[in-house]
């Protein structure tokens, strides 16, 4: 069954999804003033679940995943004073690479002064034999705030796939004005690397990241120890970054626990960032 | 150009090359005051949790350190700095330094690399008052750069006209051997065990150096996530022998 399905996919035309969203603060409410969408990417309408001027938009992908050579591009512009939450509706599934063509994703974000963006939550699942290149570049200013969470899966865990992909490369850079504050890349090539070794990924399957930059966070007041459980199948570390930034990174074999902690941490920082 | 470099430009025989190598050995001597004996870069967390207990554990861990960490991080910064200094000059080097800083997530590891770089410049400049190194130190003093060790080291090797492979190989060697010495004290292990581990690591260091020679900035990767978490957790250890 599976090889046939793969063959059909291999013959499908390459797709090039695009989603350009521009947000502006208009009379106390954040509005999505400009949308350009090219299938399979699509944005939901503006939602105001909190009953405030903060907008939530779901990011939708109608094709079911990236096939070899497919590309998705997101361009997000958050205007001055706007407050935006973006929620990918589903995980990005990356199908096997044929003819060695990788699937690619590019996310470009620009935050103006006093803007706030929460990206909740980027999840990537590279399937057996997949090749994936993802690049995220975020340009912000000292007065803007960013909360960013992401989980990298080892494969379709329910099928017992773990690090069966060919390669998975993710890259995140974050700039505050012209200072580079994050330059974080993960290049995973399971067949060429010794990822299971102590100090590398060890016996853990899931990698989680939470990044936060905000002038409203006072690092000496941040107390997260009680929110982060350390146990045999799950561990994490927290570090401060340049320019008042924080990174929490997880290695875990418990996806529910990882998601729960990520939500708790996101809510905690949301509370701080949204305080006046 | 100062006397040392001038002498090197007229190298004519193997004696000169070997003598010149002593300058490189000198800065890689574990007694050279850059403070490597005070940093474990997260290794101490694993020693305290008993995950590194024996010489076999230590070898496996350091093999990972060389191939999955150094060869994807600092090794690449040494190589890129060496090539950019030769080809492109200060602006490219300053940009590279800021990327080096931003790529080190764990604050203790980031600070350790900055401290060692600054101490290296302080130790070398009085005996090797080279104009380019002085300028680099001035950038540190003006806070234009942070002073990271791999870049400062690379600058020195360019000025001393060492070839890139030798500069890189010895950098990988001393970074790893420094950790062996520290582990021997912290676990503790006997001197003999330490020597054995170093001997076993030399082929891995050679292999990793050859890999780095083929890599560039876009290959930088933080996939030694366990070590990064260990470095983040280090400050919470109850008693510590090392700063990082």
């Amino acid at each position: 069954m599976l090889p046939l399905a793969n063959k059909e996919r291999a013959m499908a035309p390459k797709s090039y999804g695009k989603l350009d969203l521009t947000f502006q603060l208009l009379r106390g409410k954040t509005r999505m003033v400009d949308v350009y969408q090219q299938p399979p990417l699509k944005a939901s309408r503006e939602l105001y679940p909190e009953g405030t001027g903060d907008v939530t938009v779901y990011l939708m992908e109608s094709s079911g995943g990236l096939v070899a050579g497919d590309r998705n591009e997101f361009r997000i512009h958050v205007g001055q004073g706007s407050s935006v939450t973006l929620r990918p509706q589903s995980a990005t599934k990356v199908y096997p690479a044929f003819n060695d063509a990788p699937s690619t994703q590019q996310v470009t974000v620009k935050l103006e002064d006093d803007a706030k963006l929460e990206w909740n939550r980027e999840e990537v699942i590279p399937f057996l034999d997949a090749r994936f290149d993802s690049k995220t570049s975020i340009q912000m200013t000292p007065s803007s705030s960013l909360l960013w969470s992401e989980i990298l899966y080892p494969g379709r865990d329910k099928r017992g796939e773990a690090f069966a992909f060919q390669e998975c490369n993710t890259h995140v850079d974050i700039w505050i004005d012209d200072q580079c504050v994050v330059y974080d890349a993960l290049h995973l090539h399971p067949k060429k690397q010794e990822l299971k070794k102590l100090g590398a990924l060890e016996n853990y399957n899931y990698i989680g990241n939470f990044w936060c930059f905000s002038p409203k966070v006072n690092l000496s007041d941040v107390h997260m120890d009680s929110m982060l459980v350390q146990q045999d199948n799950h561990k994490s570390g927290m570090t401060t970054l340049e320019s008042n930034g924080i990174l929490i990174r997880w290695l875990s074999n418990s996806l529910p626990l990882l998601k729960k902690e990520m939500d708790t941490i996101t809510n905690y920082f949301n509370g701080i960032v949204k305080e006046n | 150009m100062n006397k040392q470099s001038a002498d090197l430009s007229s190298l004519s025989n193997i004696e000169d090359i070997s003598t010149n190598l002593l300058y490189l050995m000198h800065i890689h001597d574990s007694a050279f005051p850059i403070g490597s004996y005070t940093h474990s870069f997260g290794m101490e967390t694993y020693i305290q949790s008993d995950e590194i207990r024996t010489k076999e554990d230590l070898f496996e861990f350091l093999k990972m350190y060389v191939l999955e960490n150094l060869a994807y991080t600092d090794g690449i910064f040494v190589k890129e700095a060496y090539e950019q200094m030769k080809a492109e000059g200060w602006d490219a080097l300053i940009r590279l330094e800021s990327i080096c800083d931003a790529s080190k997530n764990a604050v203790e590891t980031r600070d350790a690399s900055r401290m060692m770089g600054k101490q290296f410049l302080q130790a070398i400049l009085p005996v090797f008052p080279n104009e380019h190194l002085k300028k680099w130190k001035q950038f540190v003093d003006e806070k234009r750069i942070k002073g990271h060790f791999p870049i400062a080291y690379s600058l020195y090797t360019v000025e001393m006209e060492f070839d890139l492979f030798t500069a890189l190989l010895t950098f990988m060697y001393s970074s790893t051997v420094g950790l062996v010495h520290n582990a021997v004290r912290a676990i503790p292990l006997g001197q003999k065990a330490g020597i054995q581990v170093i001997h076993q690591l030399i082929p891995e260091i050679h292999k990793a150096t050859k890999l780095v020679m083929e890599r560039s900035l876009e290959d930088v990767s933080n996939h030694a996530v366990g070590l990064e978490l260990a470095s983040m957790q280090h400050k919470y250890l109850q008693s510590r022998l090392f700063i990082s």
Side-chain angles (χ1 to χ4, degrees):
Chain A
M1 268 311 277
L2 197 62
L4 185 65
N6 287 344
K7 201 173 170 192
E8 280 169 10
R9 288 198 172 280
M11 291 184 292
K14 286 191 175 61
S15 92
Y16 190 173
K18 274 191 187 181
L19 196 56
D20 292 1
L21 308 178
T22 303
F23 296 91
Q24 266 180 27
L25 185 67
L26 297 172
R27 291 185 294 279
K29 206 170 179 183
T30 299
R31 305 300 307 265
M32 185 158 66
V33 292
D34 194 23
V35 182
Y36 173 80
Q37 44 198 24
Q38 184 169 297
L41 296 184
K42 196 172 173 318
S44 76
R45 62 189 175 85
E46 301 149 294
L47 300 164
Y48 297 90
E50 293 166 30
T52 64
D54 301 352
V55 73
T56 294
V57 170
Y58 283 84
L59 308 176
M60 298 179 288
E61 214 269 4
S62 58
S63 75
L66 290 161
V67 183
D70 285 359
R71 178 170 176 80
N72 280 344
E73 272 181 25
F74 298 85
R75 213 181 286 264
I76 313 296
H77 189 156
V78 185
Q80 190 172 353
S82 305
S83 178
V84 177
T85 300
L86 296 177
R87 296 185 185 278
Q89 199 182 32
S90 59
T92 302
K93 298 171 223 30
V94 188
Y95 286 89
F98 290 95
N99 305 324
D100 278 341
S103 302
T104 56
Q105 174 172 291
Q106 168 92 43
V107 179
T108 311
V109 174
K110 186 168 166 53
L111 294 175
E112 305 274 8
D113 284 338
D114 300 311
K116 186 224 155 197
L117 174 68
E118 175 191 341
W119 188 292
N120 189 345
R121 161 179 75 221
E122 181 69 15
E123 296 181 60
V124 173
I125 311 178
F127 289 8
L128 173 77
D129 283 333
R131 289 185 69 193
F132 182 57
D133 282 329
S134 143
K135 191 165 190 317
T136 301
S137 289
I138 299 166
Q139 175 68 56
M140 51 194 294
T141 74
S143 65
S144 56
S145 299
L146 174 77
L147 287 87
W148 191 279
S149 52
E150 55 197 354
I151 299 177
L152 181 63
Y153 288 57
R156 282 172 294 188
D157 42 359
K158 299 240 160 55
R159 291 190 177 212
E161 268 178 27
F163 301 102
F165 52 83
Q166 283 185 36
E167 62 179 288
C168 181
N169 304 307
T170 65
H171 173 105
V172 177
D173 56 64
I174 302 176
W175 298 75
I176 297 184
D177 289 344
D178 54 6
Q179 188 192 3
C180 184
V181 290
V182 172
Y183 189 94
D184 186 59
L186 286 178
H187 294 309
L188 304 180
H189 302 240
K191 290 185 187 76
K192 294 184 192 164
Q193 296 164 331
E194 297 195 75
L195 294 176
K196 292 283 162 196
K197 284 278 195 83
L198 183 74
L201 302 184
E202 303 171 4
N203 287 317
Y204 298 97
N205 283 330
Y206 300 93
I207 304 171
N209 297 321
F210 172 84
W211 307 90
C212 175
F213 284 88
S214 173
K216 295 185 179 160
V217 175
N218 183 348
L219 295 178
S220 55
D221 287 346
V222 168
H223 302 291
M224 287 177 296
D225 297 352
S226 60
M227 293 179 232
L228 297 168
V229 173
Q230 308 289 337
Q231 59 187 47
D232 274 352
N233 64 348
H234 178 90
K235 64 179 178 179
S236 58
M238 191 272 282
T239 185
T240 55
L241 302 166
E242 281 295 285
S243 298
N244 214 38
I246 285 185
L247 164 67
I248 298 159
R249 182 161 267 176
W250 288 263
L251 281 176
S252 181
N253 284 331
S254 173
L255 189 59
L257 181 57
L258 172 57
K259 286 186 174 178
K260 188 177 148 224
E261 288 193 349
M262 220 171 229
D263 288 344
T264 307
I265 294 285
T266 303
N267 289 338
Y268 173 76
F269 280 100
N270 246 325
I272 297 172
V273 170
K274 286 189 175 173
E275 256 175 34
N276 286 318
Chain B
M1 193 172 275
N2 69 55
K3 189 169 173 296
Q4 281 174 11
S5 300
D7 288 345
L8 299 182
S9 60
S10 61
L11 283 183
S12 57
N13 59 46
I14 197 78
E15 283 179 21
D16 290 340
I17 294 171
S18 298
T19 305
N20 189 35
L21 208 54
L22 293 183
Y23 289 108
L24 198 56
M25 284 174 66
H26 175 50
I27 61 158
H28 286 306
D29 190 313
S30 58
F32 195 79
I34 59 167
S36 56
Y37 64 95
T38 59
H39 295 287
S40 87
F41 300 101
M43 178 179 71
E44 190 175 20
T45 307
Y46 285 124
I47 293 175
Q48 287 208 11
S49 64
D50 270 352
E51 287 168 278
I52 302 176
R53 269 186 316 131
T54 64
K55 64 181 180 196
E56 289 80 14
D57 295 341
L58 182 62
F59 169 72
E60 289 299 324
F61 170 76
L62 289 175
K63 187 179 161 197
M64 181 293 303
Y65 183 74
V66 173
L67 286 164
E68 307 302 342
N69 185 266
L70 276 182
Y72 281 98
T73 57
D74 283 353
I76 296 180
F77 288 115
V78 169
K79 175 187 176 261
E80 288 286 300
Y82 187 100
E83 288 174 346
Q84 290 191 6
M85 189 58 207
K86 289 206 142 180
E88 295 178 54
W90 296 116
D91 286 350
L93 208 59
I94 290 170
R95 181 177 175 277
L96 181 72
E97 221 260 359
S98 74
I99 289 175
C100 174
D101 190 66
S103 73
K104 294 180 187 300
N105 290 322
V107 64
E108 284 196 353
T109 293
R110 189 164 68 240
D111 285 348
S113 172
R114 292 175 180 181
M115 271 189 255
M116 286 169 63
K118 285 186 213 164
Q119 285 172 20
F120 174 72
L121 289 170
Q122 267 165 16
I124 201 73
L125 274 171
V127 294
F128 182 63
N130 168 276
E131 287 308 314
H132 286 162
L133 278 174
K134 274 198 232 168
K135 188 160 182 175
W136 196 244
K137 170 76 164 54
Q138 191 191 332
F139 288 158
V140 178
D141 295 340
E142 291 166 356
K143 300 197 187 317
R144 286 181 68 185
I145 58 166
K146 310 290 187 191
H148 283 277
F149 179 60
I151 318 274
Y153 166 78
S154 199
L155 208 59
Y156 173 74
T157 60
V158 170
E159 295 303 310
M160 287 292 285
E161 299 183 20
F162 293 113
D163 68 282
L164 174 58
F165 185 82
T166 306
L168 194 52
L169 184 74
T170 52
F171 175 87
M172 306 282 274
Y173 173 81
S174 66
S175 304
T176 315
V177 167
L179 285 181
V180 175
H181 292 319
N182 291 348
V184 164
R185 284 189 288 144
I187 293 176
L189 290 173
Q191 281 299 336
K192 247 190 196 167
I195 291 166
Q196 251 179 346
V197 171
I198 292 171
H199 197 82
Q200 266 183 296
L201 280 169
I202 287 176
E204 308 298 336
I205 292 167
H206 177 235
K207 182 174 154 192
T209 304
K210 287 208 297 190
L211 288 168
V212 176
M213 292 295 283
E214 304 299 317
R215 288 183 183 153
S216 64
L217 196 55
E218 59 191 37
D219 297 308
V220 167
S221 172
N222 283 335
H223 61 271
V225 181
L227 184 66
E228 195 176 86
L229 298 194
S231 178
M232 292 178 190
Q233 291 163 349
H234 182 259
K235 69 174 174 183
Y236 299 106
L237 298 180
Q238 295 233 323
S239 66
R240 282 163 286 173
L241 279 178
F242 304 104
I243 302 171
S244 73

